[in-house]
Amino acid sequence: MIRKIIIAVVIALLFLLNGGCADNRNKTVKVVTYNILYDNIEKPDRWENRKERVIDFLKKHKPDIFGVQEALLNQVEDLKHEFPAYKFTGHGREDGKNGGEFSPLFILKERFRIIESGTRWLSETPEIPSKGWDAALPRIFTWAVLEEYNKNNKIMVINTHFDHIGNIARKESAKLIKEFVSDFDLNIKSILIMGDLNVSDSSEVYKIMRNYKTKLFDSAGSITDEARPNPGTFNGFRIGGEYPRIDYIFYSGNIKVFNYMVDQSMIGENYPSDHFPVISEIRLSGK
């Protein structure tokens, strides 16, 4: 009798464990890109006055993967401290170490392992700290190849921030990233590219991102009715009115998009940053 009870308990536990694994296999991956604005200590919108609101937003949404732009070292350290469950990857654009702005990635440790990662410069010499073409500032992208635990799902994730002045630099940056993805030698079945491109979706840069070499899809277009404009992402701390859309999450491969939103909510009396965060929920397939 006791043996039968033990066997029944074991079977029930195995059933629950298998059910849990099945649920995990079907779980969506939440992705966030967010330009958090660099810490300008001479202005009222310096990081010290905003950081709790930025952190509160990220904790509210609980992303599996998130990338931020314009983060200086002190901002990176604050995020690393507040999000110990995430693996961090990225380097400063000035020296490839800690100098200047980062465009880092934060990866939930319990969901993904990082196979490879790095930082490259958007320039004619992408392997070393440098400024490219007609750009006003050095620009970078951070990349990582991830693998979901207990699955055969590999995904390349890229987080970037294009120049705000140089149009040639933006076009060449888009081509450089697309070539990097196309030439990568691992068997990558899924790609996510996120960040602040500093262009609208009617621009030539956007067309390059979509169609040059590896074809990418705009996660907003997968959900939003094309007859209606997509929500804007740059607010400049201006409350109300029309906002331009310059922040994106692109994808290709074995990815299905289930949700997309731009969180335009205020926390306190103003927005946490001069950009709105962009959120997409996707599902990966190893097929």
Side-chain angles (χ1 to χ4, degrees), residues 7-22:
I7 293 172
V9 169
V10 170
I11 291 172
L13 287 172
L14 288 172
F15 177 81
L16 288 172
L17 287 172
N18 288 333
C21 291

PDB file of all heavy atoms in Angstrom, residues 7-22:
ATOM      1  N   ILE A   7       4.503   5.582  -5.469  1.00  0.00           N
ATOM      2  CA  ILE A   7       4.489   5.609  -6.937  1.00  0.00           C
ATOM      3  C   ILE A   7       3.525   6.675  -7.448  1.00  0.00           C
ATOM      4  O   ILE A   7       3.821   7.416  -8.383  1.00  0.00           O
ATOM      5  CB  ILE A   7       4.118   4.214  -7.501  1.00  0.00           C
ATOM      6  CG1 ILE A   7       5.235   3.223  -7.193  1.00  0.00           C
ATOM      7  CG2 ILE A   7       3.848   4.296  -8.997  1.00  0.00           C
ATOM      8  CD1 ILE A   7       4.881   1.781  -7.529  1.00  0.00           C
ATOM      9  N   ALA A   8       2.350   6.760  -6.810  1.00  0.00           N
ATOM     10  CA  ALA A   8       1.354   7.760  -7.229  1.00  0.00           C
ATOM     11  C   ALA A   8       1.879   9.170  -7.039  1.00  0.00           C
ATOM     12  O   ALA A   8       1.673  10.061  -7.885  1.00  0.00           O
ATOM     13  CB  ALA A   8       0.062   7.555  -6.440  1.00  0.00           C
ATOM     14  N   VAL A   9       2.574   9.399  -5.913  1.00  0.00           N
ATOM     15  CA  VAL A   9       3.139  10.721  -5.649  1.00  0.00           C
ATOM     16  C   VAL A   9       4.196  11.071  -6.690  1.00  0.00           C
ATOM     17  O   VAL A   9       4.243  12.190  -7.216  1.00  0.00           O
ATOM     18  CB  VAL A   9       3.729  10.785  -4.219  1.00  0.00           C
ATOM     19  CG1 VAL A   9       4.543  12.062  -4.032  1.00  0.00           C
ATOM     20  CG2 VAL A   9       2.618  10.710  -3.184  1.00  0.00           C
ATOM     21  N   VAL A  10       5.057  10.107  -7.009  1.00  0.00           N
ATOM     22  CA  VAL A  10       6.109  10.331  -8.011  1.00  0.00           C
ATOM     23  C   VAL A  10       5.502  10.665  -9.365  1.00  0.00           C
ATOM     24  O   VAL A  10       5.941  11.585 -10.072  1.00  0.00           O
ATOM     25  CB  VAL A  10       7.031   9.097  -8.118  1.00  0.00           C
ATOM     26  CG1 VAL A  10       7.962   9.233  -9.319  1.00  0.00           C
ATOM     27  CG2 VAL A  10       7.839   8.944  -6.830  1.00  0.00           C
ATOM     28  N   ILE A  11       4.480   9.910  -9.757  1.00  0.00           N
ATOM     29  CA  ILE A  11       3.812  10.160 -11.047  1.00  0.00           C
ATOM     30  C   ILE A  11       3.201  11.554 -11.074  1.00  0.00           C
ATOM     31  O   ILE A  11       3.297  12.282 -12.066  1.00  0.00           O
ATOM     32  CB  ILE A  11       2.735   9.082 -11.319  1.00  0.00           C
ATOM     33  CG1 ILE A  11       3.407   7.738 -11.574  1.00  0.00           C
ATOM     34  CG2 ILE A  11       1.858   9.480 -12.497  1.00  0.00           C
ATOM     35  CD1 ILE A  11       2.433   6.570 -11.654  1.00  0.00           C
ATOM     36  N   ALA A  12       2.574  11.936  -9.965  1.00  0.00           N
ATOM     37  CA  ALA A  12       1.962  13.269  -9.893  1.00  0.00           C
ATOM     38  C   ALA A  12       3.006  14.360 -10.001  1.00  0.00           C
ATOM     39  O   ALA A  12       2.806  15.365 -10.697  1.00  0.00           O
ATOM     40  CB  ALA A  12       1.185  13.411  -8.581  1.00  0.00           C
ATOM     41  N   LEU A  13       4.146  14.148  -9.318  1.00  0.00           N
ATOM     42  CA  LEU A  13       5.224  15.143  -9.397  1.00  0.00           C
ATOM     43  C   LEU A  13       5.775  15.256 -10.810  1.00  0.00           C
ATOM     44  O   LEU A  13       6.039  16.346 -11.310  1.00  0.00           O
ATOM     45  CB  LEU A  13       6.344  14.778  -8.423  1.00  0.00           C
ATOM     46  CG  LEU A  13       6.055  15.007  -6.937  1.00  0.00           C
ATOM     47  CD1 LEU A  13       7.158  14.418  -6.072  1.00  0.00           C
ATOM     48  CD2 LEU A  13       5.901  16.506  -6.651  1.00  0.00           C
ATOM     49  N   LEU A  14       5.968  14.111 -11.464  1.00  0.00           N
ATOM     50  CA  LEU A  14       6.453  14.127 -12.842  1.00  0.00           C
ATOM     51  C   LEU A  14       5.466  14.838 -13.764  1.00  0.00           C
ATOM     52  O   LEU A  14       5.860  15.588 -14.672  1.00  0.00           O
ATOM     53  CB  LEU A  14       6.691  12.691 -13.331  1.00  0.00           C
ATOM     54  CG  LEU A  14       7.895  11.972 -12.721  1.00  0.00           C
ATOM     55  CD1 LEU A  14       7.907  10.497 -13.148  1.00  0.00           C
ATOM     56  CD2 LEU A  14       9.194  12.659 -13.150  1.00  0.00           C
ATOM     57  N   PHE A  15       4.201  14.611 -13.542  1.00  0.00           N
ATOM     58  CA  PHE A  15       3.168  15.272 -14.352  1.00  0.00           C
ATOM     59  C   PHE A  15       3.245  16.792 -14.189  1.00  0.00           C
ATOM     60  O   PHE A  15       3.194  17.544 -15.157  1.00  0.00           O
ATOM     61  CB  PHE A  15       1.797  14.760 -13.942  1.00  0.00           C
ATOM     62  CG  PHE A  15       0.662  15.445 -14.667  1.00  0.00           C
ATOM     63  CD1 PHE A  15       0.314  15.050 -15.956  1.00  0.00           C
ATOM     64  CD2 PHE A  15      -0.042  16.477 -14.078  1.00  0.00           C
ATOM     65  CE1 PHE A  15      -0.728  15.677 -16.624  1.00  0.00           C
ATOM     66  CE2 PHE A  15      -1.074  17.108 -14.730  1.00  0.00           C
ATOM     67  CZ  PHE A  15      -1.423  16.713 -16.012  1.00  0.00           C
ATOM     68  N   LEU A  16       3.395  17.212 -12.937  1.00  0.00           N
ATOM     69  CA  LEU A  16       3.474  18.653 -12.676  1.00  0.00           C
ATOM     70  C   LEU A  16       4.723  19.252 -13.290  1.00  0.00           C
ATOM     71  O   LEU A  16       4.701  20.348 -13.871  1.00  0.00           O
ATOM     72  CB  LEU A  16       3.456  18.910 -11.162  1.00  0.00           C
ATOM     73  CG  LEU A  16       2.117  18.678 -10.459  1.00  0.00           C
ATOM     74  CD1 LEU A  16       2.296  18.785  -8.943  1.00  0.00           C
ATOM     75  CD2 LEU A  16       1.070  19.680 -10.939  1.00  0.00           C
ATOM     76  N   LEU A  17       5.830  18.523 -13.159  1.00  0.00           N
ATOM     77  CA  LEU A  17       7.073  19.024 -13.739  1.00  0.00           C
ATOM     78  C   LEU A  17       6.989  19.118 -15.249  1.00  0.00           C
ATOM     79  O   LEU A  17       7.409  20.091 -15.866  1.00  0.00           O
ATOM     80  CB  LEU A  17       8.241  18.106 -13.339  1.00  0.00           C
ATOM     81  CG  LEU A  17       8.703  18.202 -11.882  1.00  0.00           C
ATOM     82  CD1 LEU A  17       9.720  17.093 -11.580  1.00  0.00           C
ATOM     83  CD2 LEU A  17       9.307  19.570 -11.608  1.00  0.00           C
ATOM     84  N   ASN A  18       6.428  18.101 -15.874  1.00  0.00           N
ATOM     85  CA  ASN A  18       6.269  18.136 -17.326  1.00  0.00           C
ATOM     86  C   ASN A  18       5.324  19.231 -17.753  1.00  0.00           C
ATOM     87  O   ASN A  18       5.532  19.902 -18.759  1.00  0.00           O
ATOM     88  CB  ASN A  18       5.764  16.774 -17.837  1.00  0.00           C
ATOM     89  CG  ASN A  18       6.826  15.709 -17.762  1.00  0.00           C
ATOM     90  OD1 ASN A  18       8.010  16.028 -17.820  1.00  0.00           O
ATOM     91  ND2 ASN A  18       6.415  14.452 -17.629  1.00  0.00           N
ATOM     92  N   GLY A  19       4.268  19.433 -16.965  1.00  0.00           N
ATOM     93  CA  GLY A  19       3.344  20.524 -17.258  1.00  0.00           C
ATOM     94  C   GLY A  19       4.019  21.861 -17.163  1.00  0.00           C
ATOM     95  O   GLY A  19       3.812  22.751 -17.984  1.00  0.00           O
ATOM     96  N   GLY A  20       4.872  21.982 -16.104  1.00  0.00           N
ATOM     97  CA  GLY A  20       5.600  23.232 -15.947  1.00  0.00           C
ATOM     98  C   GLY A  20       6.517  23.485 -17.112  1.00  0.00           C
ATOM     99  O   GLY A  20       6.636  24.601 -17.609  1.00  0.00           O
ATOM    100  N   CYS A  21       7.201  22.410 -17.590  1.00  0.00           N
ATOM    101  CA  CYS A  21       8.094  22.562 -18.744  1.00  0.00           C
ATOM    102  C   CYS A  21       7.308  22.962 -19.979  1.00  0.00           C
ATOM    103  O   CYS A  21       7.744  23.785 -20.783  1.00  0.00           O
ATOM    104  CB  CYS A  21       8.840  21.259 -19.007  1.00  0.00           C
ATOM    105  SG  CYS A  21      10.057  20.847 -17.724  1.00  0.00           S
ATOM    106  N   ALA A  22       6.132  22.355 -20.142  1.00  0.00           N
ATOM    107  CA  ALA A  22       5.310  22.703 -21.307  1.00  0.00           C
ATOM    108  C   ALA A  22       4.901  24.161 -21.253  1.00  0.00           C
ATOM    109  O   ALA A  22       4.926  24.873 -22.255  1.00  0.00           O
ATOM    110  CB  ALA A  22       4.086  21.802 -21.347  1.00  0.00           C
TER     111      ALA A  22
END
